[in-house]
């Protein structure tokens, strides 16, 4: 990470006025989408290396809905009301020191530390410096807000765990979703032969993203039409038609199963080991350095983000309902404020 010069020609912009309170979407107790409400809450105070960001847009992720419903990250919620929202894109308004790498006025994107701190379903959010990167210049804030969690998960799975490379065969389940559409693109970019499962309007689109083979899971059993693969990226698990267990039938001996959704297949390790297959789960790492690399790929056009629907912040309940209906192509994003 490079720090800014403190020479006069790069003088800092004055910090804008920040109100004491802000509009946010909160919930007091876990439940259905109806527990989400708009409220006035205090603007969070950054400490240590945290940055205060004026939020322009916030991504909506399955982990948000799980946490709202009492699963996901809810075990770590220590006080109510809780503000959700890991994905954030916005503008820096407070920094911890003068020569900070993201000075006041910098457009950034990254991951808030929900629920340790209030999230991005609000007009302001505190974000750790190491969880931030400069926003891709070619993307709007709404587009950028759809990137962090999904792209970092895909990056960790495809690049850092599967070690995607030329000649490797990778099967990605739910390739049309938030994580899936990045996983397909990253694996293709690094030379792997990618097979993706999907349905409906995602099928042709997955081919456009780089998948060499697309399987419509509503009309075909993937294990009947897919030749053996080196890696399965399972974004479904056994909660839908035993997708995880069936995946073992297409993995080569010594191959790798990466199980992403928490709790979607509790016995995957034992089942994989019994078949001579390596396995691991995966949790997203909020890595600003990786986000900076992903930003370069986005700006170059090598990778793209797809935002399926945009809701206003006050319509967060409707956004959660849409997410939970399934079949979202790419990401759902909340518009919080103007650029």
């Amino acid at each position: 990470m490079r720090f800014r010069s403190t020479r006069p020609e790069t003088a800092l912009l004055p910090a804008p006025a920040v109100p004491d309170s802000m509009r946010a979407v909160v919930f007091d107790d876990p439940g259905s989408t109806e527990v989400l409400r708009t409220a006035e809450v205090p603007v969070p105070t950054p400490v240590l290396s945290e940055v205060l960001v004026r939020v322009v847009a916030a991504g909506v992720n399955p982990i948000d809905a799980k946490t709202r419903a009492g699963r996901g990250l809810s075990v770590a919620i220590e006080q109510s009301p809780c503000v959700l929202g890991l994905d954030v894109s916005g503008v820096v308004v407070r920094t911890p020191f003068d020569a900070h790498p993201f000075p006041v006025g910098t457009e950034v994107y990254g991951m808030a530390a929900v629920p340790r701190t209030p999230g991005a379903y609000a007009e302001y959010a505190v974000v750790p410096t190491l969880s931030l990167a400069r926003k891709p210049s070619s993307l709007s804030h709404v587009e950028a807000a759809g990137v962090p969690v999904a792209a970092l998960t895909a990056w960790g799975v495809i690049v850092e765990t599967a070690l995607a490379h030329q000649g490797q065969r990778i099967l990605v389940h739910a390739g049309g979703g938030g994580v899936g559409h990045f996983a397909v693109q990253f694996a293709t970019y690094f030379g792997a032969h990618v097979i993706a499962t999907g349905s409906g309007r995602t099928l042709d689109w997955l081919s456009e993203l780089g998948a060499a083979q697309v399987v419509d899971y509503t009309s075909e059993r993937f294990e009947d039409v897919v030749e053996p693969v080196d890696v399965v990226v399972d974004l479904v698990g056994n909660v839908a038609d035993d997708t995880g267990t069936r995946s073992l039938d297409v993995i080569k001996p010594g191959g790798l199963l990466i199980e992403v959704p928490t709790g979607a297949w509790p016995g995957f390790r034992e089942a994989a080991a019994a078949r001579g297959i390596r396995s691991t789960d995966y949790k997203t790492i909020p890595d600003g350095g990786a986000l900076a690399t992903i930003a370069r790929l986005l700006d170059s056009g090598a990778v793209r983000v797809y935002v399926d629907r945009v809701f206003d912040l006050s319509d967060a309940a409707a956004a959660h309902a849409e997410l939970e209906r399934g079949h979202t192509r790419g990401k759902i994003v909340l518009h919080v404020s103007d650029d």
Side-chain angles (χ1 to χ4, degrees):
M1 179 178 294
R2 296 191 174 205
F3 291 88
R4 299 180 70 251
S5 167
T6 55
R7 294 179 296 178
E9 57 266 34
T10 57
L12 299 170
L13 293 174
V18 175
D20 295 327
S21 64
M22 64 180 182
R23 185 171 59 105
V25 169
V26 305
F27 72 98
D28 300 294
D29 298 299
S32 66
T33 59
E34 284 78 13
V35 302
L36 295 174
R37 62 184 176 87
T38 304
E40 282 287 319
V41 300
V43 172
T45 301
V47 297
L48 298 175
S49 67
E50 292 173 339
V51 170
L52 184 64
V53 175
R54 180 176 64 79
V55 181
V56 177
V60 178
N61 291 288
I63 191 66
D64 300 347
K66 291 178 181 178
T67 302
R68 183 217 73 230
R71 305 186 305 278
L73 305 175
S74 62
V75 67
I77 297 175
E78 297 181 347
Q79 61 182 17
S80 295
C82 176
V83 182
L84 293 170
L86 291 165
D87 282 336
V88 58
S89 185
V91 182
V92 174
V93 293
R94 291 284 187 277
T95 59
F97 55 90
D98 290 344
H100 192 270
F102 306 122
V104 169
T106 304
E107 294 184 320
V108 293
Y109 77 141
M111 283 181 61
V114 176
R116 304 298 187 190
T117 58
Y121 290 12
E123 292 176 314
Y124 294 89
V126 293
V127 187
T129 293
L130 295 180
S131 300
L132 280 174
R134 291 176 183 267
K135 180 184 74 66
S137 59
S138 62
L139 268 56
S140 67
H141 282 290
V142 165
E143 292 169 323
V147 174
V149 170
L152 284 172
T153 304
W155 185 266
V157 166
I158 294 295
V159 181
E160 298 176 349
T161 305
L163 305 176
H165 58 270
Q166 189 77 33
Q168 189 180 41
R169 291 174 55 83
I170 298 179
L171 169 61
V172 179
H173 287 308
V179 175
H181 86 294
F182 280 116
V184 168
Q185 292 179 88
F186 290 151
T188 300
Y189 179 82
F190 284 100
H193 179 96
V194 180
I195 306 104
T197 62
S199 66
R201 63 191 182 122
T202 67
L203 298 177
D204 291 340
W205 179 61
L206 285 168
S207 296
E208 293 174 11
L209 294 179
Q213 180 182 356
V214 178
V215 179
D216 184 346
Y217 68 84
T218 66
S219 62
E220 295 180 297
R221 305 288 282 182
F222 65 83
E223 64 269 34
D224 294 336
V225 297
V226 173
E227 295 295 323
V229 300
D230 301 287
V231 180
V232 167
V233 176
D234 184 11
L235 301 173
V236 178
N238 272 359
V239 295
D241 199 19
D242 291 332
T243 298
T245 299
R246 291 162 50 215
S247 295
L248 299 178
D249 293 334
V250 300
I251 302 177
K252 298 175 182 178
L256 176 64
L257 169 71
I258 306 175
E259 191 67 20
V260 179
T262 301
W265 182 15
F268 77 90
R269 293 179 181 86
E270 294 79 8
R275 303 279 288 272
I277 293 168
R278 297 172 296 132
S279 66
T280 182
D281 54 357
Y282 187 80
K283 298 292 183 292
T284 309
I285 299 174
D287 182 351
L291 273 178
T293 299
I294 292 166
R296 291 192 289 273
L297 290 174
L298 288 161
D299 281 337
S300 73
V303 173
R304 52 191 167 125
V305 58
Y306 184 85
V307 176
D308 200 355
R309 292 196 61 182
V310 180
F311 293 82
D312 287 335
L313 177 63
S314 58
D315 293 327
H320 275 223
E322 178 68 19
L323 180 73
E324 291 179 322
R325 273 191 285 271
H327 305 295
T328 296
R329 184 167 75 166
K331 293 298 299 289
I332 293 174
V333 173
L334 299 177
H335 175 262
V336 178
S337 65
D338 293 333
D339 292 9

